[in-house]
Amino acid sequence: MSAHLIDSEIYGHLWGTDEVRELFEERAKVQSWLEILTVLAEAQAHLGIIPTRAAEAIRAYADVDNLDLTQVATLTRETGHSTLGLIRALQEALPEGAREWVYYGATVQDLTDTWTSLVLTQVTSVLRRDVARAVAAGRRLATRHADTVMSGRTHGQVGLPITFGFKAAVWSDELSRHQTRLEQVLPRVARAQLGGGLGTMEFWGDQAIPLLTEFSDRLGLGAPGIPWLTARDGMAEFVSVLGMVTATFGKIGQEVYQLQRPELGEVSEGGVAAVGSITMPHKINPEISEHLVTLARVVRPHSGMALEAMLHEHERDGRAWKTEWLFLPETCILSAAAVSMGSRLLEGLQVDEARMLQNLADRKGYVLSEPVMRELSTVLGKHAAHDVVYRSARRGLERGVSFEEQLRSDPAIRALVPDAALRAALDVTRALGAAPEFARRAGRRGTHE
Amino acid sequence: MSAHLIDSEIYGHLWGTDEVRELFEERAKVQSWLEILTVLAEAQAHLGIIPTRAAEAIRAYADVDNLDLTQVATLTRETGHSTLGLIRALQEALPEGAREWVYYGATVQDLTDTWTSLVLTQVTSVLRRDVARAVAAGRRLATRHADTVMSGRTHGQVGLPITFGFKAAVWSDELSRHQTRLEQVLPRVARAQLGGGLGTMEFWGDQAIPLLTEFSDRLGLGAPGIPWLTARDGMAEFVSVLGMVTATFGKIGQEVYQLQRPELGEVSEGGVAAVGSITMPHKINPEISEHLVTLARVVRPHSGMALEAMLHEHERDGRAWKTEWLFLPETCILSAAAVSMGSRLLEGLQVDEARMLQNLADRKGYVLSEPVMRELSTVLGKHAAHDVVYRSARRGLERGVSFEEQLRSDPAIRALVPDAALRAALDVTRALGAAPEFARRAGRRGTHE
Amino acid sequence: MSAHLIDSEIYGHLWGTDEVRELFEERAKVQSWLEILTVLAEAQAHLGIIPTRAAEAIRAYADVDNLDLTQVATLTRETGHSTLGLIRALQEALPEGAREWVYYGATVQDLTDTWTSLVLTQVTSVLRRDVARAVAAGRRLATRHADTVMSGRTHGQVGLPITFGFKAAVWSDELSRHQTRLEQVLPRVARAQLGGGLGTMEFWGDQAIPLLTEFSDRLGLGAPGIPWLTARDGMAEFVSVLGMVTATFGKIGQEVYQLQRPELGEVSEGGVAAVGSITMPHKINPEISEHLVTLARVVRPHSGMALEAMLHEHERDGRAWKTEWLFLPETCILSAAAVSMGSRLLEGLQVDEARMLQNLADRKGYVLSEPVMRELSTVLGKHAAHDVVYRSARRGLERGVSFEEQLRSDPAIRALVPDAALRAALDVTRALGAAPEFARRAGRRGTHE
Amino acid sequence: MSAHLIDSEIYGHLWGTDEVRELFEERAKVQSWLEILTVLAEAQAHLGIIPTRAAEAIRAYADVDNLDLTQVATLTRETGHSTLGLIRALQEALPEGAREWVYYGATVQDLTDTWTSLVLTQVTSVLRRDVARAVAAGRRLATRHADTVMSGRTHGQVGLPITFGFKAAVWSDELSRHQTRLEQVLPRVARAQLGGGLGTMEFWGDQAIPLLTEFSDRLGLGAPGIPWLTARDGMAEFVSVLGMVTATFGKIGQEVYQLQRPELGEVSEGGVAAVGSITMPHKINPEISEHLVTLARVVRPHSGMALEAMLHEHERDGRAWKTEWLFLPETCILSAAAVSMGSRLLEGLQVDEARMLQNLADRKGYVLSEPVMRELSTVLGKHAAHDVVYRSARRGLERGVSFEEQLRSDPAIRALVPDAALRAALDVTRALGAAPEFARRAGRRGTHE
């Protein structure tokens, strides 16, 4: 049984996806570490640093199923060393001729940093796949609802009408920039680590740099120009990109949460929950949307931790480096949950076009003060028109009449704006500006630019 | 197998203590939830809200061993509700006459917030016990080393001598203020929650407020003046206090880490590690000290999350509240590790008095420029004396001679300071100011003020 | 002209109050520093450390009007020292016999830390005054609106009715705890600093501790048990308390922002803005409410910085300490703006009782599912009742009829609930639970407990 | 007089550069805003939206020298609107025929966001110039000191020797990645904003999109695919990149701070400070190095604020957007200080090669345990060799003899390692691994990859 929510049997599905959580599970991690040690041995055998037979034996026996993890744990506590427990248990599992050739000259950070690079590469693939789904869903919404009129809101107040497709287009536009970011950050993260104790690769003498290349190539990782034991900028950037990705899904969730209020009722999460509130059976809560905000909040602070972890002292600094052990898996697992839920939310989003129109209508036309002002501007000038319309709108709101009724009863306006122009200015479908065009353009974009 | 370090079989001992981790483990949490539901039923029976027999049956059967947690997990995912899975599984475990009377009118937040209060109360006890150990250890160091002369350092440079007891006294003084803080925050945290869906306790009619009192009393928690479903200041304050406590231990760890450098070698962690570095067998790393800094860094950002979680919207806001689910256990478990390790570090700290004296001696007397300046001040005035001593010190350092040799060769000084006064000014044991007295005073304090 | 918003002529009123900003303005700060140096001289004269005449001259001449701040700035840059520029300029302003006796044995941190304690004490007074105003306003709202029925909302959805007084009571309850916190933190902040270079007070020999007491007493500050040059827990706690205070006002602002949406329209900021939106003349934005959230967001991260600043290395650590120079004034000034605006918001809040009732009515009775369920519970048991009511509510919502109509047409319910009971259950004023009582109790509280 | 350190006459030089601070000064900002309004008018005139004469008049009169900023401030407070005060004052400054055509259809965010893009573009240029200087300085150090032997340190303990050039190469490598990041983020930041009230550009009818292109082109900014009023990912990414840049300089500062300790004395800041400590005249503090850490700490939290600001609600959200007003200028100004000081630090860094060798020698050869172990590995196998060397090293340290003496007296080793091999293994210049080669490679890189 576990104490952290990420590992919770009951609630874990809200705080991660199985796919990404499994990458970080202890057993899978140890297996991946063993694979790295095997590849290291093979690269070393290839360069004649260790016997080929030793490498073959390591390939054959270095398997988590051959280890007793409880023994590894006990040895780790006893030695007070991060990998010595594992190495000793592994040596027992290996045939005699291989025992001395495993983990040959490497240090714990070579192992864990290389693993981190590999696992972040896998996480990046998962995230790119799901962000692409979200972008596609956003573009479909942009196209389908390019002309779906709804209230635009600033400062929580209704301003002019917009279209729902316009809103979705802003989302897909932002999400597509994250595709670029994930692509750009990858080569700065997917780099092998092989420095030995101090990063100088001293143990391997003249074969140091060839070994670095061979090891990196075999793992499908980049070979760094110099070991990055103390250069953690790649990690910080990665965490920051994931912070941005989850923030965008948090924004989308927040929007749905607000628009799903019964007083607005413009969109709602697709899936009808099987059960509502326990005490209030009539309620349907925006569970996913709300949780996307939660996830954005708990991922966000990791970017600060990652920036702090960049301040390594000397050639290795456990104070800084060990913080990554905690926040990197957490960031990845939580972000995977956000991206997965967020793309499903977009794919299943319900849009209530009638309610959108009704909400606009409930504002009695006042949201069209700008088109009226623009009409008047041609006669009075813009700022003068603003003052006239502003005063009239305030008066109408006080009187409780519709904007049209107010405007028709205001001699200052009646005198200046012809009836037809007024009618046109008070038509919500003519007050959408470039919203439909922006939406359609976003919808058409086939790939991210 | 688990994915989070806190739950790691291999590394978990570095990121928590068993004692506190167990409080948060899923099984223990569910058991504690069941106990709260039982107490609720008993309080309700006491007030005649539910039948006494129902309460008795709940007491008898509401046990985690009667539940299938995998079924709870499945039902939780199916219903999309935080506690309904548990309730349904619990109802199956109860005899028929009790099924309808369990969780009677309460909501998920009543359950989880009350549990949080209970568990934070327990965590507070643990932390107070261990902080008290650390305060005691710090005071012993203050007393024992009240006169142990060592280099004082500012900006990483050696200034005047201090004593090691003085340094330890600053630690124990700071730690004792945390004792006060833990005491003051407790009543703002140890409060029951019982509000029902909206905090109005509607379900219980006229018996609402008596029930709140009865329920709180039976749990040994305070009865809040009004439900705090959306008033999370207590949580934020608690997290902030734990952030301060771990910061102090981080500071102590940082100090030991620096003073244990081989070039300084003034203190060291007590326990000789069983094994040094794998690649560099001669090294002994300051494992605990370093890790105390790491723990301070990973706990710290939680204070920001907790402040953000205070901004609840309306009468319940899952976006904010659910973040607590993640950071509260993490804060408690990591802080417990820090306080436990930190008090052990203080208890076992090795002090090398000879090396401390040697390091001071290696500075060739220049660290005594202030006493010399003070001597000269009586003749020249302080600022004028500063300029004279400053110039002389710079010259001596350039020439590579000792401060004494330089001063004796500087006619400007020789003329003004008698030999005996100069000798006295250059005696490190006479340049300690009130350090020994401050140390002794701190050591004498029996309890925190 | 200035570059920071806090100093902006155009926008500064939104990011601080004149009262608190003035405490931190450079000229005022220098004047306060000079006052501290004067008190130090007087305390030293009292103890015979410096001549009484010198202290008198310092009292007479140490005035910012006697200094050329541009010269101070130039000297500061030239010397690369935080206070030497000031001291040299001050010495020029002093008569000859006093020049050598000013800043006698003190260091920059003695000066700046003592100033910080003084200024935080003043800031605390201002905040306590304004928080008290807010508490009083909140209690008035709680009393006045103890029975003002409105929608309670969880997860953005309407749940049961509450009363507006209940909501205001939660606010005042939370704010009153901040009064306690401000009171408790003060003695841990209002402490003089006088340590000299290393905190040992070496320069003053046997008179060190008497001088510490004398100096502290004269300033009205506590005398610390030991200098706190490297014990910054008081600062961290202070920043954390201000983070909590601004978070509460942020929460209140957020609530008003949401309730002021035109689709809800339940409360609004009192003052009618002179001008609405430039492009949309009909809009009235919740300017203050919105800004309270902004202020909470920009103050919040300071708590993390303050916790980090606790990790001082050795006897002075500029890396940590200098961060306080930046974040302490910013925290104070921004918090003062929040507390001032927030208390004004509460004092002027407009409540639209009719709209509150209308919004509830718009939900067609479904928000009363809990009272109906409770009624049914007496016959069926609670959880069985939940399932029946849940199904009926979902059906009614699909059919688009009122809850009453649905319930009356549902044979499962009609058979079990008598007409009178159903009518009672569907009366919002009978579904308020203890909300009015909680509100009245909060309103009655005369002082904070 | 100002209250914020960034604006401090006395201390401002430590918290910003004049060059970047001036970009954000209120007067300069208003001038830049007027220029944007002018370009908007010219673009609108070009498209026939407003009269050419009006645009010409705006070009002629829209100058900050024609405005009374105190009046702007007063009007801003009176109207409670961010730009209306400015617009009214500007209208007064304009000739009658232009008054109605200024700020035609734009909103405050069009103005401020576009200004932000312009100013961040300028800041990026400054930072790229100074980071390039730092990269060049780092590469020179890497080349010059490719073979300068010094202690490598992990966990604060001395491990194997490295070279100082290797350390500098890690710095320049990391800094060069920031050059790439600054280049990649720029197009996501340097985008004009022109959306009108809701982002739909409604006011400009059919000419909306042509106007967006024209306006962007004239300003030398990209034309966004859709207005980014609520898509703040570019800002968040920018702040995050600056956080990384300052973190790297913080790391370099931290390293110099530690290596400048008198007990290490391996490097020092170039410039001899004019004055040392006031109370301790012999001290030279690492002022710049220390301050680089401070700056990294105060910039870092801004990345969290920027991520939070991404969660905009609806079509404009002052709660989120206004936080940028505070943190963007602060981030830029503080970062500019860091980059400027950091590149100067690297350019002037003093390296004490003799001390570096001496410090290694002081470790009595034990730092060469790895080469000895490697030698022994060929006979015993690596892990067996580790155990033998580990035991011998511990014994030698206890006996207080040199590593060579210990090894020669250890029969287990003497029997296995020939004298010549032992001598070679104990030669620090042969234990550098690939450090010199890594350093030289980094030094050779002409541009960033």
Side-chain angles (χ1 to χ4, degrees), chain D residues 268-283:
Chain D
S268 62
E269 296 188 359
V272 170
V275 177
S277 156
I278 281 196
T279 51
M280 295 161 289
H282 67 283
K283 276 177 61 201

Side-chain angles (χ1 to χ4, degrees), chain B residues 420-434:
Chain B
L422 192 61
R423 224 170 310 124
L426 289 172
D427 177 354
V428 290
T429 66
R430 297 174 76 160
L432 300 173

Side-chain angles (χ1 to χ4, degrees), chain A residues 154-155 278 283 290 369 386, chain C residues 154-155 278 282-283 290 386:
Chain A
T154 61
H155 311 281
I278 281 197
K283 276 177 62 199
E290 211 178 64
S369 53
H386 175 273
Chain C
T154 60
H155 312 281
I278 281 198
H282 67 283
K283 277 178 61 201
E290 211 178 64
H386 174 272

Side-chain angles (χ1 to χ4, degrees), chain D residues 276-295:
Chain D
S277 156
I278 281 196
T279 51
M280 295 161 289
H282 67 283
K283 276 177 61 201
I284 299 297
N285 294 330
E287 303 278 1
I288 297 174
S289 312
E290 211 178 63
H291 202 58
L292 287 172
V293 183
T294 301
L295 291 169

